Amino acid sequence: MHTRNLLAAAIAVTALSMSGAVAQTVKVGIINTYSGPFAEPGELMDRGITLYMKQHEKDLPPGVKIELIKRDDTGPQPDVAKRLAQELITRDHVQLLAGIVYTPNAMAVAPMLTEAKVPLIVMNASTPAITMKSPYVARVSFTLWHSSYRLGQWAAKHDTKTAYTAVSDYAPGADAEQAFNKGFTESGGQILGSVKMPLQNPDFAPFMQKAKDAKPAAVFVFVPAGTQAIAVMKAFGDVGAKQAGIKLIGPGDITTDEGLDAMGDVALDVITMLHYSAVGKAPGNAAFVKAYQDEFGKDQVPAFEVVQGYDGMAAIFDVIKAQNGKIDPDKTMEILKGWKYESARGPIMIDPETRDIVQNEYLRKVERVNGHLSNVEFETIPMVKDPWKALNKQ
Ligand code: PHB
């Protein structure tokens, strides 16, 4: 270090000790997808993290700082995610981990946390079992059961007697299929067929053709949000399924707010269930959307991954503030259990028993609002706990 820098550092330390505060830097490792064809949800999540930091860094206790150490897992790559987590824990000595878009990555990282005693705040990855892999996991995102189970119940009760399911061939796809299937059939619906679509490099047209040929009232689709959601919507239109009078329904991952205008008119009238819409009516949402557009551009709309990154940082800030920057892993988990927050998506809570999110689920229909396709909410199911855990009593 240059002598002048050394001097500046010495003065800073003296100033801090004179003010009675102790310099404390909390290292937070962010494992996220920043490159490759699966990066879009990761980039959105990163925007949420950035926005929260920018707005709230000044609220940290005197002397307390956060250092974010960001790493790119490059997509659903469990081996990469595991190596990154190992490095962050053993080499960078992070006190907290956060992020993770893809379920396989979270499943690979979670078992490592217990021995290392490093809490992980999951900001997207969704399979129900992730929170059960270690007592040091808390989730601020969702499970596919949150959205798809209730959607199945609702669809069967609203003029949809038959359905065909088409989901990505990995854990969240299986979750979505099982959740929808259960909700739909127990409410009187009939499943005419199902198909699993490849996660890597999928060509959706043959699958949408198969779905159309089964002549269901609705096709239920789950693919990861981002470029795949735009492609599957296009394929649904290209095979003429919409013209044939077949409805498209699914979790809100298939009509993400940032992708709707790129999907075009085929997305109109698609009904989905999710915990956030950019045109949602929760009290904090208007200010959130404005802050997002001030930061990232007037033509940008926040999507659910942005809110999850933002809310995850709110949880991290609360944990750091409550401990004045000295992170104890067990105390951190105690603070996270029952943690409550007024989010842009509405009120949220971390269930103290399961460490999973409790949140409103909204039924939404794609409509044109002020010239832009939007997920317009028309019904709210308040404070839903992960139904998979409730049904399996875990
Ligand atoms: C997941 O891998 O858990 C995942 C990724 C993207 C989504 C939903 C779930 O849109």
Side-chain angles (χ1 to χ4, degrees):
M1 203 192 275
H2 193 279
T3 340
R4 205 181 309 147
N5 291 349
L6 267 178
L7 195 62
I11 291 169
V13 169
T14 318
L16 274 171
S17 42
M18 276 163 58
S19 71
V22 182
Q24 200 82 43
T25 297
V26 181
K27 288 187 175 188
V28 182
I30 306 281
I31 299 175
N32 196 3
T33 306
Y34 290 110
S35 65
F38 289 90
E40 193 171 310
E43 282 158 10
L44 293 167
M45 187 200 283
D46 192 68
R47 286 182 167 193
I49 294 171
T50 303
L51 184 60
Y52 193 91
M53 281 290 279
K54 202 156 181 186
Q55 288 178 332
H56 295 282
E57 215 167 0
K58 62 179 181 342
D59 304 333
L60 289 169
V64 176
K65 289 195 168 18
I66 298 184
E67 182 187 347
L68 297 182
I69 306 178
K70 296 184 181 180
R71 295 288 181 261
D72 178 12
D73 63 22
T74 71
Q77 302 285 356
D79 292 344
V80 178
K82 197 170 165 183
R83 176 174 54 74
L84 295 177
Q86 248 151 7
E87 287 172 5
L88 285 164
I89 292 168
T90 59
R91 205 178 62 194
D92 298 305
H93 303 292
V94 296
Q95 288 130 299
L96 301 170
L97 281 170
I100 312 198
V101 176
Y102 294 99
T103 284
N105 301 10
M107 291 299 269
V109 168
M112 205 182 298
L113 307 169
T114 311
E115 210 193 310
K117 283 185 166 254
V118 176
L120 165 68
I121 287 97
V122 174
M123 292 173 168
N124 190 72
S126 67
T127 232
I130 293 168
T131 48
M132 293 147 60
K133 283 263 163 185
S134 167
Y136 292 94
V137 178
R139 174 158 45 201
V140 295
S141 51
F142 62 97
T143 75
L144 265 311
W145 280 82
H146 271 113
S147 50
S148 302
Y149 178 56
R150 298 304 188 104
L151 178 66
Q153 292 177 330
W154 182 88
K157 289 175 192 152
H158 290 83
D159 290 339
T160 305
K161 291 293 162 234
T162 56
Y164 185 97
T165 66
V167 300
S168 296
D169 191 7
Y170 80 132
D175 296 334
E177 183 192 292
Q178 285 161 20
F180 177 79
N181 200 318
K182 182 165 171 57
F184 192 61
T185 54
E186 74 186 14
S187 303
Q190 189 195 351
I191 301 285
L192 299 185
S194 62
V195 71
K196 293 230 163 70
M197 307 181 285
L199 182 60
Q200 304 285 350
N201 305 314
D203 172 8
F204 293 118
F207 298 106
M208 290 301 106
Q209 184 65 50
K210 252 185 115 182
K212 182 190 168 201
D213 292 346
K215 297 191 169 47
V219 183
F220 169 90
V221 170
F222 165 77
V223 295
T227 47
Q228 292 209 8
I230 296 171
V232 83
M233 186 69 75
K234 189 175 176 312
F236 184 81
D238 287 349
V239 303
K242 188 167 176 156
Q243 288 94 313
I246 299 172
K247 286 178 270 190
L248 178 62
I249 56 176
D253 308 64
I254 63 166
T255 59
T256 45
D257 294 303
E258 90 293 350
L260 277 178
D261 279 334
M263 291 176 192
D265 283 359
V266 63
L268 274 171
D269 300 328
V270 171
I271 288 179
T272 57
M273 175 109 54
L274 199 69
H275 50 280
Y276 178 72
S277 161
V279 296
K281 299 281 179 290
N285 193 39
F288 179 76
V289 174
K290 183 180 180 311
Y292 184 79
Q293 293 181 335
D294 287 348
E295 184 66 25
F296 300 107
K298 288 283 165 238
D299 59 336
Q300 301 288 301
V301 273
F304 68 93
E305 302 95 323
V306 179
V307 179
Q308 292 162 187
Y310 188 91
D311 294 355
M313 285 312 293
I316 288 171
F317 267 60
D318 281 355
V319 155
I320 291 173
K321 283 198 250 176
Q323 297 175 90
N324 216 6
K326 289 183 215 66
I327 300 298
D328 174 83
D330 295 307
K331 199 158 170 217
T332 297
M333 295 314 299
E334 287 314 309
I335 296 165
L336 289 172
K337 289 178 197 171
W339 179 76
K340 289 196 174 92
Y341 184 63
E342 276 306 321
S343 164
R345 61 182 122 165
I348 60 172
M349 185 182 90
I350 292 180
D351 181 356
E353 278 158 44
T354 62
R355 289 163 280 103
D356 221 331
I357 186 97
V358 185
Q359 60 190 342
N360 292 348
E361 287 292 326
Y362 303 99
L363 272 159
R364 312 101 48 84
K365 185 177 186 182
V366 177
E367 292 172 18
R368 203 177 296 282
V369 180
N370 300 328
H372 293 286
L373 296 183
S374 309
N375 288 298
V376 178
E377 297 168 356
F378 62 91
E379 205 173 303
T380 304
I381 305 179
M383 297 313 266
V384 180
K385 285 187 181 188
D386 173 27
W388 188 89
K389 291 195 179 67
L391 288 164
N392 292 279
K393 297 210 174 24
Q394 311 219 25

